[in-house]
Amino acid sequence: MSEGPPATRDRLVYAAMTLFSEKGYGSTSVSDILRQAGANSGSLYHAFPTKQDLLLAVLEAYKGGIEPMLLEPAWGAVADPVEKVFALLDCYRNHLAVSECTYGCPIGSLALELHEPDPPVRQLLADNFEGWRRHVEACFEQARPRFRPGFDPARAASFTLTVMEGAVMQARTYRSLDAFDQAVASLREYLDAMTIDHPPTEKD
Amino acid sequence: MSEGPPATRDRLVYAAMTLFSEKGYGSTSVSDILRQAGANSGSLYHAFPTKQDLLLAVLEAYKGGIEPMLLEPAWGAVADPVEKVFALLDCYRNHLAVSECTYGCPIGSLALELHEPDPPVRQLLADNFEGWRRHVEACFEQARPRFRPGFDPARAASFTLTVMEGAVMQARTYRSLDAFDQAVASLREYLDAMTIDHPPTEKD
DNA sequence: CCCTCCCTTGATTGATCATTCAACCAAGTG
DNA sequence: CACTTGGTTGAATGATCAATCAAGGGAGGG
């Protein structure tokens, strides 16, 4: 159908996505992006009025990519809703591991780098967090019967995001997965504590 | 004794500390710092070979300031060791509140902004985290009797740092304290679950 | 009074940055 | 073929940046 060529615009967004997550927004120059994408400045400024508009496109791409690029691969083989959450965390762990603890969550990095972001940028960062959180919430919602009555799936999902981002930050700072693994283990302890003690009848 | 004047060097460090935490390292120009400190570029480059060496001095200052500037004020009125931890978290909450959720943890911001920091910078960021973590660990250690046998104070302290940093990130991104408060509440649930159930004899 | 040492002054340098623009190209369309 | 439209080229622009440096100031010691 609308199968296009390797459109310049897309190459620019992809190059920017890569470089922003490698070096941050401020430390990535427009010429870095042009070199990586094999484009000229005129093309970039034909597609985007400004470097910041390119950032907006990148954040839109992340937002739209949560499901197909992140969750789909992470959840392919996992059925249990709570294990899906830990499979997702393990996916971040893998990214850290293969990059020697330098690649973390690109959204989190941008969120802390941009101290006074223009409203549309901040909104898209928040949208990304919110999208992620909602998918995790759905897992907890689906597993609700196994949790204690007061358990709040929305709050647990928010807490999961909190733990993931804090854990990634420490992994990158220490250049070690220790704190990350400990945080995930603690999160599991937390969820176990929220679980209804199954009557030790069946197989125990 | 060595009571000095408002030494230029100190004004520079203080100005840089303020500006780095307001706008980040990369977005703070040397001339911003000079203006804020009321100094000239020659003075800065007399005291520090490089902008990055000024960053090192700032990180050293944070490191040395953890106890007198952060813990002392936060813990003045609090005796219970576990409540000290929550008093510390409440201190970050206050900073967020008075700044409309823009000021968070300066170390965390720098840790995520500087993607490939020179080794000394990364080391000082890690030292700051480690110093913070150790003080929190001491609280949990002191309260150890009330926790279940397997409880690990070091891991709980690391988890507390994880939660604090993740919570600050979300507060800043959403420009709201909701996720922060939820994260702190969840952390308390976690610690409650780790606590030995007092025999319901006394007042219950 | 002079000399030395430490610190400051502030204009200057060269690099790099985001952005602009006139010219150009190629694919349609009539 | 003429003409428009959407996209590309890449040199040029002006701003801003970190860093430099020759010149000076002034306190203290002799």
Side-chain angles (χ1 to χ4, degrees):
Chain A
M1 321 307 173
S2 65
E3 177 56 43
T8 305
R9 193 197 138 97
D10 292 345
R11 274 183 295 125
L12 286 165
V13 172
Y14 183 72
M17 199 167 355
T18 306
L19 290 167
F20 290 167
S21 95
E22 270 176 13
K23 333 198 309 169
Y25 176 72
S27 302
T28 300
S29 74
V30 170
S31 41
D32 287 337
I33 299 167
L34 297 174
R35 197 176 324 115
Q36 174 98 0
N40 291 91
S41 61
S43 295
L44 193 157
Y45 285 95
H46 179 77
F48 304 100
T50 234
K51 186 190 176 190
Q52 181 177 293
D53 291 276
L54 178 53
L55 171 62
L56 292 174
V58 166
L59 290 174
E60 290 280 6
Y62 275 124
K63 188 175 151 193
I66 290 182
E67 191 138 16
M69 308 288 283
L70 182 64
L71 303 183
E72 189 98 5
W75 291 355
V78 185
D80 183 88
V82 171
E83 291 315 310
K84 278 186 176 180
V85 174
F86 286 99
L88 182 55
L89 294 176
D90 203 54
C91 174
Y92 285 90
R93 204 199 116 100
N94 279 339
H95 284 144
L96 285 165
V98 302
S99 67
E100 289 177 306
C101 295
T102 60
Y103 271 73
C105 168
I107 308 300
S109 298
L110 290 169
L112 282 199
E113 176 187 350
L114 305 167
H115 286 237
E116 282 165 344
D118 282 32
V121 174
R122 199 191 56 72
Q123 185 59 52
L124 270 174
L125 290 167
D127 288 352
N128 270 276
F129 278 165
E130 184 59 12
W132 196 99
R133 209 220 80 234
R134 232 187 336 240
H135 281 101
V136 172
E137 178 182 352
C139 291
F140 287 135
E141 184 62 56
Q142 195 186 335
R144 191 200 273 268
R146 81 181 73 162
F147 290 113
R148 304 221 306 255
F151 180 80
D152 180 350
R155 215 183 68 176
S158 177
F159 191 51
T160 303
L161 176 56
T162 299
V163 171
M164 183 276 279
E165 293 290 357
V168 164
M169 181 189 295
Q170 282 183 78
R172 286 188 33 186
T173 304
Y174 289 123
R175 289 272 194 278
S176 151
L177 288 167
D178 291 352
F180 185 96
D181 290 334
Q182 288 184 17
V184 173
S186 296
L187 180 67
R188 196 182 276 276
E189 275 183 325
Y190 169 78
L191 290 174
D192 283 348
M194 295 293 118
T195 302
I196 294 169
D197 312 321
H198 20 223
T201 44
E202 279 282 322
K203 62 177 66 169
D204 203 66
Chain B
M1 322 304 179
S2 66
E3 176 55 45
T8 305
R9 194 196 137 97
D10 292 345
R11 276 183 293 123
L12 285 166
V13 171
Y14 184 72
M17 200 166 355
T18 307
L19 290 167
F20 289 166
S21 96
E22 270 176 13
K23 334 196 310 172
Y25 176 72
S27 302
T28 299
S29 73
V30 169
S31 41
D32 287 338
I33 300 168
L34 297 174
R35 195 178 323 114
Q36 174 99 359
N40 291 91
S41 60
S43 296
L44 193 155
Y45 285 97
H46 178 77
F48 304 99
T50 237
K51 187 190 177 191
Q52 181 177 292
D53 291 276
L54 178 54
L55 171 62
L56 291 174
V58 166
L59 290 173
E60 290 280 8
Y62 275 124
K63 188 175 151 193
I66 289 181
E67 190 138 18
M69 308 288 283
L70 181 64
L71 302 183
E72 190 100 5
W75 290 355
V78 185
D80 183 88
V82 172
E83 290 316 310
K84 278 186 176 180
V85 174
F86 286 99
L88 182 56
L89 295 176
D90 204 52
C91 174
Y92 285 90
R93 204 199 117 101
N94 278 339
H95 285 143
L96 286 164
V98 303
S99 66
E100 290 177 307
C101 295
T102 59
Y103 271 74
C105 168
I107 308 299
S109 299
L110 290 169
L112 281 200
E113 176 187 351
L114 305 168
H115 287 238
E116 283 166 347
D118 282 33
V121 174
R122 199 192 55 71
Q123 185 58 52
L124 270 173
L125 290 166
D127 289 350
N128 270 276
F129 277 165
E130 184 59 13
W132 195 99
R133 210 219 80 232
R134 225 174 355 225
H135 281 101
V136 173
E137 177 182 352
C139 292
F140 288 134
E141 182 62 53
Q142 195 185 337
R144 192 199 271 268
R146 81 181 72 163
F147 289 113
R148 305 221 305 252
F151 180 79
D152 180 349
R155 215 182 69 176
S158 177
F159 191 51
T160 304
L161 176 57
T162 299
V163 171
M164 184 276 279
E165 293 291 355
V168 164
M169 181 190 294
Q170 281 182 79
R172 286 188 31 185
T173 304
Y174 288 124
R175 289 273 194 276
S176 152
L177 288 168
D178 291 353
F180 185 96
D181 290 334
Q182 288 184 18
V184 172
S186 297
L187 179 66
R188 197 181 276 278
E189 275 182 325
Y190 169 76
L191 290 174
D192 284 348
M194 294 295 118
T195 301
I196 294 170
D197 312 321
H198 17 224
T201 45
E202 279 283 319
K203 63 176 66 166
D204 200 71

